[in-house]
Amino acid sequence: MTRYRWDMAFNPPGFRTVILLALGFGLKTLSNVLERAGDLASDPGTRLFNHVSALAVLIAAAACFIWALKLMFFDKPRERNQAEATPEEALKHSDIYPDEANFDPDAALARYMTNRTGADLDDLPAPKPGRFGRKGL
C-alpha cells in the first residue's frame, strides 16, 4: 500500500501563477456576462445556450484557480540544482593565448620608447591651466 504524503510548502507566486489567477478572474467575469445575457434573452434556446456557456466558462475559471493553488502550495519547493549553482571556472588569458604567456609589458614599453620617432615627452608643450577636454580649443 502506498502512502501519500501531502507536504504543503508555500512557493511564492511566480509569473505562471499570477497569469493563471488573472485568467481565472477574467473567465469568471465572462461567465457573469454570459449568465446575465441568458437572463435577459427572450428565446428559450438562446437562454439555454448562454447559461450552458456560462457554466462551461465558470468550470474553466475554477480549473485555473485550482491549478494556481496547486502551483503555490502542492508543488515541490523550488531549489537550485547544485550542478547549476556552481558555474564552471572561467578560462584564463594564458589558456586562450598560450603564445603570450611569457609577455613582459615593461620590456615592450622599453622597446617602444627606444624605437619611437618624433618628439620626446619632455619636448611637448605643457597643458594650459584650467582647460579640460575640447574647451581650450
Side-chain angles (χ1 to χ4, degrees):
M1 184 165 139
T2 305
R3 290 190 125 203
Y4 292 103
R5 188 172 155 201
W6 294 93
D7 288 335
M8 277 186 66
F10 180 72
N11 292 324
F15 182 73
R16 183 186 302 171
T17 307
V18 171
I19 292 297
L20 282 172
L21 289 173
L23 182 64
F25 281 114
L27 289 174
K28 181 184 167 297
T29 303
L30 179 63
S31 173
N32 288 343
V33 168
L34 286 172
E35 187 177 1
R36 188 168 297 127
D39 288 342
L40 298 176
S42 58
D43 182 32
T46 305
R47 290 175 62 125
L48 179 65
F49 176 75
N50 284 341
H51 284 296
V52 170
S53 298
L55 183 61
V57 171
L58 189 62
I59 290 171
C64 287
F65 290 135
I66 291 170
W67 191 4
L69 288 175
K70 178 194 168 291
L71 286 176
M72 282 194 297
F73 293 108
F74 295 107
D75 265 2
K76 292 180 183 176
R78 296 181 198 119
E79 295 177 4
R80 297 183 77 184
N81 189 356
Q82 196 65 328
E84 295 174 6
T86 56
E88 295 179 9
E89 187 175 327
L91 293 175
K92 296 179 183 174
H93 183 78
S94 60
D95 294 338
I96 299 171
Y97 303 104
D99 299 338
E100 296 181 5
N102 298 329
F103 178 73
D104 185 16
D106 294 328
L109 182 63
R111 270 195 318 271
Y112 170 74
M113 293 303 282
T114 58
N115 296 332
R116 194 176 87 163
T117 60
D120 287 334
L121 291 177
D122 298 332
D123 296 341
L124 293 176
K128 298 176 185 173
R131 307 286 178 152
F132 179 76
R134 293 184 170 218
K135 292 182 205 174
L137 296 178

